[in-house]
Every structure is written in C-alpha cells, then in structure tokens.
Amino acid sequence: MTRSAPRNRRGRFALLSLFLSLAAVLFGSAPVPAAASGTWWEPTARPAPDSQTNVTGAPFTGKNAKGEVSGFVDAHNHLMSNEGFGGRMICGQTFSEQGIADALKDCPEHYPDGRGALFEHLTGGDDGTHDPVGWPTFKDWPAHKSLSHQQNYYAWVERAWRGGQRVLVNDLVTNGLICSLLPRDRSCDEMTSIRLQARKTYELQDYVDKMYGGPGKGWFRIVTSANQARAVIEQGKLAVVLGVETSEPFGCKMILDIAQCDQADIDRGLDELYSLGVRSMFLCHKFDNALCGVRFDSGTTGVAVNIGQFLSTGTFWMTEKCTGPQHDNPIGLAAAPPAMAEKLPAGVSVPSYASDAKCNKRGLTRLGEYAMRGMMQRGMMLELDHMSVKAAGRALDILESQEYPGVISSHSWMDLDWTERVYRLGGFIAPYMHGAEGFIGEAQQKAALREKYNVGLGYGTDMNGVGGWPGPVGENAPNAVKYPFRSVDGGAVLDRQVTGQRTWDLNKDGAAHNGLVPDWIEQIRLTPGGPAVVGELAKGAESYLGTWKKTEDHEVGVNLAAHVPASASTTEWWNPFVNYSAGRTVDGDTGSRWASEWSDDQWLQLDLGAVRRVGKVTLDWEKAHARAYRIELSENGTDWRTAWSTDTSDGGLDTATFDSQAARYVRVHGVRRATDWGYSLYEVTVHRS
C-alpha cells in the first residue's frame, strides 16, 4: 500500500502530460506547471489577464570560462517615477495588486481624448490629443516619443531580464518644482517621494515573489552589496540597485544663492538613504542646488528648465568661459514655452547668454564636497552626470586624491573628455539609449580606452525619465530586427512583444517600453560595428560589479597631517576677526584657510611629530593659488629636499604623488603666484602613499 500510491500518482501525471501535449498540438498552446518541468524562470501563478513576455528558453546562469558573470547593465532607469512629481506626471503603474487594467491606465485628466495632458503636449508626445486608453488596446501609448506614460510595467522589465539584462539601477526620482506646476495627488516634498518610491520597489519584489512561490523565489532581487548582486546574477536573476536622482536631496535647495540645508541635514539624509538600500546617487539634477551646479539642458527644454530653476531658486543659470576643453551642454536659447513663460513674474524674462561662455559658473560647493565625502565614508557610488564641468572636475580631483573608484556616468550627461579619468579610478560608464547607429558611434569614440582598462559597457535607458527613445527604422532597414531572434547569451528566443490587443515591433514602433530593450540590442548587433559593441555590453555586469566591489573595499588613507603643529613664513592680517594662521590648513574645516602676505617666496610647514613614510600630499587651494611651487621634505627641519614640484598649477585640488620616503617635516614652498594676492590654502593632507 505504501508503494502503490506514488506509482498511481506517476501514472496519472504521465497521462496528464500526454493530454497537455496533445492539446498543445491541436489548439496551439497549453499551460505547463512550472514545478513539473523545473522551469524556475516561469511563475507558478501569473495574474490573469496579464501581459505576455514572448520569450522562451532558460536564462543564462553561472559564470563564463573566466569565472566572470555575463549580462547587460541598465545603469539608469526609473521604475517608480509614476510615484514622483506629485503622482500625475508619469501615468500608469509598474504593477498593481488589482491587475494590469488598473496598472496600465492613463491619468484622470487625460480623459476623454488627451486634451488635458499638459506635460504630454509640452514635451511633444502628442499633437494636442491622444487616446488615453491603455489596457487592452494601447492605441497611442506607450510610445517612443511619449514622455508621460508608463514604460516599466513589470512584465516588460521581465522581458528585458529574460533577454540578457542582469543589472538594473532604479533611480528614485522627483522634482518639487515640477510637482507644484502639475496636477498632483500627493506631497511635493522630494524626500517624501524618495521614501515612497523605495517602498514601492520593495513591494514590487514581493509582488514578483508571490508569483514564484514565496519570498526570495522571484527573479526581481533588490541588492545592497556587490557580493549579493553577484550571487543573484549567477542564479540568472536580475540584480536591482537603488539610486537617487533628485534636484533637492535632503532639502538642499538654494534660494538666492543661500543654502537651505547644513551638514547635519546631509548626514541624516545619507544615513536614511543608505538604510533604504540606496547605493548610488546624483548630488544635483536639472537645477543648481546647495551642493553643485548642473550641466545645462539645451533648446526649448533648456529654456523651460532654466525657468524652473528661477522659480525654484530665485536665480537663472549663470555662465562663464570654460577654463579647459570640457564644456557644458549649449544653453537653451529658444523661445520660452508659453506654459512656462507665463509662470514668471511680470517683467522677468530668461536672460541672454554669450555664445563663448559655455560653462556654468556654479561648481561643487563646500556642502557638496561634504556630501560627497559622506558618500565615500558609506561606500556609495557618485553619479557624475548632470554635474557642471566645474563641479565634475572638482569631484574627480577629490576622488583621485582619495583613489576612490566609486564613480559612474550612466546616461551620456558627462563630458566625454572625463572618460579616462573615470576609468583610471575604476569607475563605470553607460551611454544613453540612443538609436543603434548613435549608440555605436558614441561607444566607438572611447573603445580604445575600454580595451586599455579592460572594462565593459552599460546603457542607460532612462525609461520613465522623460528623455525620448529610439524611433522606428522601418521593416526594410538593413538593421531591421528579424523576429523571432535568439538572445546574445543564447539561452532565450524572443518574438514580438504582445500586451493585450497590441503587438510591438521595434522596427515599426521604436523603443516604446522596457520590454523592447532586447530587440534594441539585437538591432545594434545587426548594425555595422555593432557586434563588437554588443560584446562589450555583455561584459557590463562584471565591470559594474567590479566598480561596486572596489568601492566597498576602499579604505580611506590616514591623514598624517590632521591637527599637527603648523607654521608659515608669513600670515596675512587685515581683519582682527578672521584667523588666517597656518593651523587652519590642518583643522579639518574645509571653510577655513591660511593666507600669506602678497609676495612670491612663501612657505607653509607641517610637523608630523615623528619621522614617517610620506608619498602623497594633497593641497586644496583658494583662488589665490600658486602657479609654481614645490613639496619639500625634511627629517630634522633644517636639511630640505624637493620631493615634487610644478610650474603649471591651475589651483583647485592638487595631488602631489612621489616615491614614498622618510620625513618628519613637510613644507609647501610657493615659488610664483598665480594672482596678485598671496598664497591661500584651505586644507593640506599628507599620506604614506
């Protein structure tokens, strides 16, 4: 009796399998229980009705012959931006417990014909009207040029994962000013929105887990460490990293150039974000804030954003001539969109700008540096995109002074001249999701550097990020996708994606939603120069994890000069209430400084207290900096030798590195000034190497 029951169950199961196989032949399809076939990548209970993924085959698992993980990286996505901006800028949800009909519906004011879709009209997503109906017809959205409709429905994200993507960075995003100008159903406070979006991302993980049988079983895995991400990818699942891209993090906005936050706000904010699982972050986005100046937007969008900056901060963008080959985007000089221009006070208009002044005057502020160093202390990765070149250059100086690898450019908002500095540090770069030819062209510009540093490539889809996406190439284009096609890793076969009554074809529809990312990669593969780029994309997951792991493992070098005795040849004195003494350079306060009298031959000397090994000195100059100077070392304070020198310093943050050698005394000896003032230093640090 105890043996006959299993035998009967096996017999019944064999009969059921035969019936299902016959049904598949006769009627074209039949549900196969996932547990029976061992297909861990298929859910045991998907909601009905729901979108299809139109993918068959097993996801790639494990590691390659070199012991590396393989897979694509979407380094810049916004899964939950429908929860930002007051909840009514991006219409539709990534998921809903009530099902797809509830998730994929338009915003209330878009009914009955789209005339009330202010943001869609402003951004050119329609011609003044559109069909608001989503499920099941999807006549007008999502679309590659529609900027206000959901592109990240969970099943579309699932298709991207099944097609080879293994890392997705979900940037929690909002903007308080934009929120205040649009219909809304919630608070415009940016940190409140960030908290909500983080919570909804964890709820999405739970939602997927339910389909797969319980906690931890789904393919959507939020990760908070590089090792955790590697384990997820080796299982063939999607590692989801939380980032933040918002205009006023921690309330750090600026009003009439006065910061509305302090260091305590930054510390509390970073601690909270880290506890939420956030591991990468932008310090500024679209508007200059109390942390940094931004890289401009261009054209009509630039004018609209500049007006938004004025409404938020009380100041427009300010430009100056660039001091190096890098420059910000050309500033918007087009006519102001009426919907934005009417928001300006009477008599106020967008200023004009000199054509040869292409850089933002605002760089990385002292509060921004404090926030950046706070990120470094917590092992977080800095997003360089959206920083003005003045801010980005200063940020890279600081990162290099600490040899900190955690730097990312995730969607083509960084001057490409910074590329080697990013790679030299150990950082990661992902161009924006341009059309196939454009993406290949941008990738090829720096292919030699990727080979030199042995790194892979990512892409930033910016889905739900109001950026615009690749349009259709036509069914007869040389690089038209031939459906069905096999994924790059060889594990999956993908056909045209179907949701409800709508079938999407990349050739005819462009990159309308996240589920078409594998199709876009296939189009890149079919484009001249594309196979090599796709190969680099497949190395993206390993490279991203390498950057992250090195960031986590980084140890800040001990500053041998902290609070040591300091002296100087001279000290400027003109105000009895301001202290410019030498000790201000080693007090840990980046706002205090030493200043010399106004002549060339001056020095600042530090006593390390004992003979130590010294190999690196970092100098944070004020505007009154040295053009030529040398770093001198001594064991007794009498006999000096030059360890390093320059006659071309441009100020800012200088890092002098040299062969490690014994010294008790370190002296910065100014030879020639760069200004009519004396020499002025905020901070000096000394390290072993």
Side-chain angles (χ1 to χ4, degrees), residues 75-76 171 282 383 385 408-412 428-432 459-460:
H76 194 105
D171 284 316
F282 295 78
E383 291 269 9
D385 287 5
I408 293 173
S409 171
S410 61
H411 65 331
S412 297
F428 184 78
I429 293 177
Y432 188 80
Y459 50 81

Side-chain angles (χ1 to χ4, degrees), residues 635-653:
E635 295 182 40
N636 56 19
T638 302
D639 302 309
W640 295 91
R641 60 189 183 276
T642 298
W644 185 92
S645 65
T646 182
D647 58 5
T648 58
S649 173
D650 59 358
L653 194 67

Side-chain angles (χ1 to χ4, degrees), residues 322-575:
C322 304
T323 58
Q326 300 83 15
H327 60 82
D328 292 318
N329 292 325
I331 200 165
L333 298 175
M340 290 297 294
E342 66 185 21
K343 304 291 184 182
L344 290 171
V348 175
S349 59
V350 180
S352 58
Y353 296 94
S355 60
D356 61 346
K358 297 180 179 180
C359 282
N360 193 338
K361 278 188 177 182
R362 297 183 175 101
L364 189 66
T365 69
R366 290 292 169 179
L367 277 176
E369 292 185 21
Y370 184 85
M372 184 175 158
R373 293 182 189 278
M375 291 177 65
M376 294 164 67
Q377 291 168 2
R378 292 163 177 83
M380 299 171 72
M381 292 176 282
L382 174 72
E383 291 269 9
L384 210 62
D385 287 5
H386 287 296
M387 280 187 173
S388 66
V389 294
K390 192 171 186 177
R394 175 72 178 183
L396 287 167
D397 286 344
I398 294 172
L399 293 169
E400 288 166 345
S401 73
Q402 297 292 327
E403 299 176 345
Y404 190 79
V407 57
I408 293 173
S409 171
S410 61
H411 65 331
S412 297
W413 271 81
M414 176 192 77
D415 191 298
L416 287 179
D417 277 353
W418 300 129
T419 299
E420 185 158 20
R421 294 182 72 179
V422 171
Y423 284 148
R424 188 186 299 120
L425 281 164
F428 184 78
I429 293 177
Y432 188 80
M433 185 186 182
H434 303 301
E437 292 86 353
F439 187 88
I440 292 168
E442 183 172 338
Q444 288 177 334
Q445 290 183 56
K446 301 301 179 182
L449 285 177
R450 289 193 298 279
E451 182 177 6
K452 175 180 178 180
Y453 292 96
N454 190 29
V455 294
L457 189 66
Y459 50 81
T461 64
D462 204 11
M463 290 287 174
N464 285 1
V466 301
W469 297 272
V473 299
E475 295 178 278
N476 297 320
N479 61 352
V481 175
K482 309 296 190 297
Y483 292 95
F485 63 91
R486 187 169 291 277
S487 62
V488 174
D489 59 30
V493 175
L494 298 93
D495 209 339
R496 293 174 178 83
Q497 198 281 314
V498 179
T499 305
Q501 300 170 16
R502 178 74 186 272
T503 299
W504 274 278
D505 181 324
L506 185 77
N507 304 313
K508 296 187 292 185
D509 300 307
H513 61 66
N514 202 324
L516 298 175
V517 168
D519 311 51
W520 170 73
I521 292 173
E522 172 68 2
Q523 190 170 86
I524 292 175
R525 189 185 69 82
L526 297 171
T527 304
V533 172
V534 171
E536 292 186 277
L537 289 172
K539 292 173 57 178
E542 182 64 37
S543 285
Y544 184 88
L545 294 186
T547 293
W548 193 359
K549 188 67 168 69
K550 286 181 287 189
T551 301
E552 292 176 322
D553 292 344
H554 179 266
E555 294 183 4
V556 177
V558 175
N559 177 15
L560 303 176
H563 305 290
V564 301
S567 58
S569 54
T570 63
T571 298
E572 180 184 357
W573 188 95
W574 61 272
N575 185 334

